[in-house]
Amino acid sequence: MTHEELEEAVPLYAAGALERSERQALEAHLLSGCVSCHTALKEFQSVAAILPFGLNSMPAPRALKAKIMAARTPTAIAEDAQEKVDTKPSLEPGEWMNHLFPPESAAAPRSFGWALSFAALAILSIGGYLAWTSYTQNVTGTAVVQQLQAASDDQTKKVAALQQQLDDRERAIVQMKEELQQRTTDSTELKDQLIQREAELEDLKFQFAARGGVPANREPEDELAALLRVPNAKAVSLNGSDMAKQASGMLVYDARTKKAWLYAMNLPECPNGTTYQLWAINDKPVSVGTFHMDSGETAHLLVSRVPEFSKAKKFAVSLEPSGGRPTPTGPIYLVSQS
Amino acid sequence: MDASSQHAASNIDPKLLARVVKGDHQAFSQLYDQSSTLLYTMALRILGNRDEAAELLQDVYLEVWRKVSRYDVGRGTPVAWLVTLTRSRAIDRLRARASRGLNKSTESLDSSLASQIADRGPNPFDAQADQEIKTLVGSALAALPQAQQHALELAYYEGLSHAEIAARLNQPLGTVKTRIKLGMSKLRESLRRCWEQGEHV
């Protein structure tokens, strides 16, 4: 048969109208994996399966349900006990779905009695076997327990020796740990001293500049860069609120020098008579400082000396009247994550 | 799920079959309630005898109780699977009866069977959710030319091959094949609309 002929046979197959030889030829073709025929068959079989809906409904006899519900259980048991090979010769029309899942072996209801006696025999033999094994176990049990006791004593001694060794090692480790701790403390102290000196130097530079010396104060950007190298500096990123979705900010706080750097980007220009104010919020907001965004400015760096706020949970920037306010009153523009 | 769709044959939940596989008696009872009218109607149409149709239904449901694990979601809806299984077992019976040389004992029922097909009005035995699909299939069938409809019914409900149909109708083989092919294709086209609306049965 050509593919065209096979394809033409698909609707006939679904309707159950093919001769046996034709059926087998098409089934072989389908099993060879022809996708188009398989798709067509699925559709035509859905059509075939829907046809009985076109009949005028007749309800099954009322007693039938109870009969089936009752007939179900013993048959199921018999089937579990004895398997019987189904000797159906070939596929029936429209049985493609069953063909993919060959019929399960079914047991005849009359095999029920036979199955029961078989089950009883099995239970008897299992019982006998269990009785016999428990008897022999008792006889050999006592000797085995003594052997095990001796072996267990041996093992206990070995474990004690190992425990001793383990304790020694543990003590050595504790000593090493203490030494390491000492070294770490030393190094931290040195670091602190260094930072202290740097801060002092910076102060001196400021004082020097304030007294009209050579302008030595570094650009704030340099300070930020230096700060980013300081260990333990805390960095918090801020996101623009609904007022300024494009805006963002980075706040860095150095607990040693008690300085905060806010690098704010893309905030809108401050209207006349207003200023941005940065808040550290713990229980209540504390002002950190104010800054102004001028026309055309896209980024602003605020450097401010602040009291201890390492406990602050949140930071925010609001727009306030010029000079700032003791508590936030205007809309929030930036807020820290988390 | 409202009360009416709970009893619809077109609406059997694959999960229900999964529960039947696990030996859930309540699920089995519900499966029977949802599908028995449709399957009995078809068995009666094929076998033409109430007692035999009831016997067949018992065989089918017991088979489902045992081998329902063979149902696979990828192969079609639960009701399609049940219809295919029932039709196949009914045709088996029909053939076995023919080989024993017994005549189809349908004379007394012929008139009621005729009305089984002709009457497509709402039926109190059908769940409301099934009414829609029944109307759809009914009108799709009615839209077929009489000859195509007849050839299809001989194949589907009487288990006749195209050659047997040709002999019975005294028509050329090619004509019979074409009628069945056209009939099936037209039904597919009419029912496609229903499937595309997600009411695949």
Side-chain angles (χ1 to χ4, degrees):
Chain A
M1 273 174 118
T2 66
H3 181 263
E4 204 173 50
E5 285 171 327
L6 287 162
E7 204 167 25
E8 298 245 300
V10 170
L12 292 155
Y13 180 98
L18 286 188
E19 299 288 354
R20 186 166 167 173
S21 60
E22 297 169 312
R23 231 158 52 214
Q24 286 165 344
L26 183 58
E27 275 159 9
H29 174 63
L30 287 163
L31 285 172
S32 76
C34 176
V35 177
S36 67
C37 284
H38 198 262
T39 309
L41 178 68
K42 273 186 119 173
E43 287 189 7
F44 280 120
Q45 279 189 321
S46 300
V47 171
I50 216 177
L51 287 179
F53 279 101
L55 296 172
N56 195 22
S57 291
M58 295 285 282
R62 275 183 187 282
L64 183 62
K65 184 179 179 184
K67 204 177 158 198
I68 290 174
M69 294 299 273
R72 212 165 29 128
T73 322
T75 318
I77 291 169
E79 195 227 7
D80 285 343
Q82 189 196 21
E83 301 257 315
K84 197 182 134 198
V85 180
D86 196 329
T87 52
K88 254 176 160 256
S90 174
L91 291 150
E92 296 304 325
E95 260 205 306
W96 171 246
M97 281 188 274
N98 293 339
H99 174 59
L100 288 178
F101 298 93
E104 203 173 73
S105 53
R110 61 177 167 278
S111 65
F112 181 48
W114 190 89
L116 264 189
S117 52
F118 176 80
L121 195 66
I123 288 163
L124 274 180
S125 19
I126 289 166
Y129 173 74
L130 285 177
W132 181 76
T133 47
S134 77
Y135 170 73
T136 46
Q137 270 171 10
N138 272 338
V139 175
T140 52
T142 319
V144 169
V145 164
Q146 281 166 356
Q147 277 177 9
L148 283 175
Q149 186 69 47
S152 157
D153 289 350
D154 261 13
Q155 293 299 326
T156 312
K157 272 175 220 150
K158 278 183 193 161
V159 166
L162 283 172
Q163 187 70 49
Q164 184 63 39
Q165 283 181 16
L166 200 62
D167 289 349
D168 287 352
R169 299 275 158 89
E170 194 105 16
R171 267 193 290 277
I173 288 173
V174 170
Q175 273 178 10
M176 283 167 129
K177 247 191 202 164
E178 277 166 7
E179 265 175 49
L180 187 66
Q181 191 74 48
Q182 191 57 45
R183 298 277 160 85
T184 313
T185 315
D186 289 354
S187 119
T188 312
E189 265 173 30
L190 283 173
K191 232 187 222 168
D192 279 352
Q193 284 174 15
L194 181 64
I195 290 165
Q196 193 61 40
R197 294 281 181 279
E198 274 180 357
E200 284 170 16
L201 183 65
E202 205 173 288
D203 266 358
L204 286 172
K205 272 184 189 162
F206 264 110
Q207 286 171 21
F208 183 61
R211 287 174 192 178
V214 185
N217 63 326
R218 292 175 292 182
E219 287 295 305
E221 281 84 354
D222 291 343
E223 278 193 70
L224 182 69
L227 178 77
L228 289 173
R229 288 198 296 272
V230 174
N232 303 332
K234 197 173 159 183
V236 179
S237 77
L238 288 89
N239 286 346
S241 68
D242 287 345
M243 300 296 295
K245 287 206 168 102
Q246 294 296 311
S248 63
M250 171 67 82
L251 178 78
V252 182
Y253 172 64
D254 180 10
R256 291 165 200 278
T257 55
K258 299 203 188 320
K259 266 187 164 183
W261 284 256
L262 172 70
Y263 193 67
M265 280 166 287
N266 296 328
L267 276 174
E269 175 193 346
C270 291
N272 272 342
T274 61
T275 182
Y276 286 113
Q277 192 164 10
L278 171 64
W279 307 92
I281 301 160
N282 187 6
D283 292 328
K284 52 187 181 182
V286 176
S287 174
V288 179
T290 60
F291 62 96
H292 200 266
M293 290 294 270
D294 296 321
S295 156
E297 207 178 2
T298 56
H300 192 96
L301 185 63
L302 165 75
V303 183
S304 181
R305 251 165 204 272
V306 289
E308 173 74 31
F309 65 46
S310 57
K311 279 187 216 141
K313 290 176 185 121
K314 216 172 176 181
F315 298 92
V317 169
S318 65
L319 187 68
E320 302 294 341
S322 281
R325 285 284 179 273
T327 54
T329 57
I332 302 284
Y333 276 76
L334 284 174
V335 65
S336 65
Q337 295 163 322
S338 79
Chain B
M1 192 184 270
D2 61 36
S4 72
S5 63
Q6 263 173 19
H7 295 104
S10 54
N11 229 332
I12 298 170
D13 190 345
K15 284 184 205 135
L16 188 69
L17 278 171
R19 280 168 58 205
V20 172
V21 172
K22 289 180 187 153
D24 184 331
H25 294 263
Q26 202 208 323
F28 184 76
S29 164
Q30 193 189 332
L31 181 70
Y32 180 91
D33 290 343
Q34 276 186 258
S35 56
S36 63
T37 297
L38 179 71
L39 299 187
Y40 180 78
T41 301
M42 178 170 65
L44 188 60
R45 170 66 182 85
I46 294 171
L47 296 168
N49 177 300
R50 289 173 205 277
D51 292 339
E52 267 204 88
E55 243 175 71
L56 178 84
L57 230 60
Q58 176 161 347
D59 288 354
V60 166
Y61 278 106
L62 290 181
E63 202 176 326
V64 165
W65 179 249
R66 293 199 300 262
K67 72 172 232 179
V68 78
S69 56
R70 300 296 173 186
Y71 169 71
D72 178 78
V73 184
R75 310 254 163 251
T77 56
V79 71
W81 179 71
L82 287 170
V83 163
T84 308
L85 181 69
T86 307
R87 177 185 170 273
S88 156
R89 294 294 175 264
I91 300 288
D92 284 350
R93 262 177 187 260
L94 206 60
R95 296 238 173 94
R97 193 164 64 187
S99 70
R100 286 200 304 271
L102 299 173
N103 284 327
K104 201 176 165 200
S105 55
T106 55
E107 269 71 18
S108 58
L109 277 166
D110 265 349
S111 54
S112 74
L113 283 175
S115 74
Q116 214 184 331
I117 294 159
D119 178 10
R120 278 191 301 278
N123 186 309
F125 302 120
D126 295 321
Q128 213 167 2
D130 283 344
Q131 290 294 357
E132 204 176 325
I133 188 142
K134 287 182 77 75
T135 312
L136 206 113
V137 176
S139 53
L141 276 169
L144 294 183
Q146 190 66 39
Q148 288 173 19
Q149 198 180 326
H150 193 207
L152 254 181
E153 276 171 8
L154 286 174
Y156 191 78
Y157 291 121
E158 317 224 349
L160 298 182
S161 72
H162 48 65
E164 289 166 326
I165 297 169
R168 164 99 54 112
L169 300 179
N170 202 14
Q171 292 278 340
L173 188 61
T175 308
V176 170
K177 279 191 186 179
T178 306
R179 283 178 187 172
I180 296 171
K181 221 156 47 195
L182 279 178
M184 287 296 282
S185 298
K186 280 185 200 161
L187 285 178
R188 179 173 68 162
E189 293 318 309
S190 335
L191 299 174
R192 222 175 222 158
R193 268 175 290 132
C194 155
W195 296 340
E196 276 159 12
Q197 284 161 17
E199 293 175 36
H200 195 285
V201 170

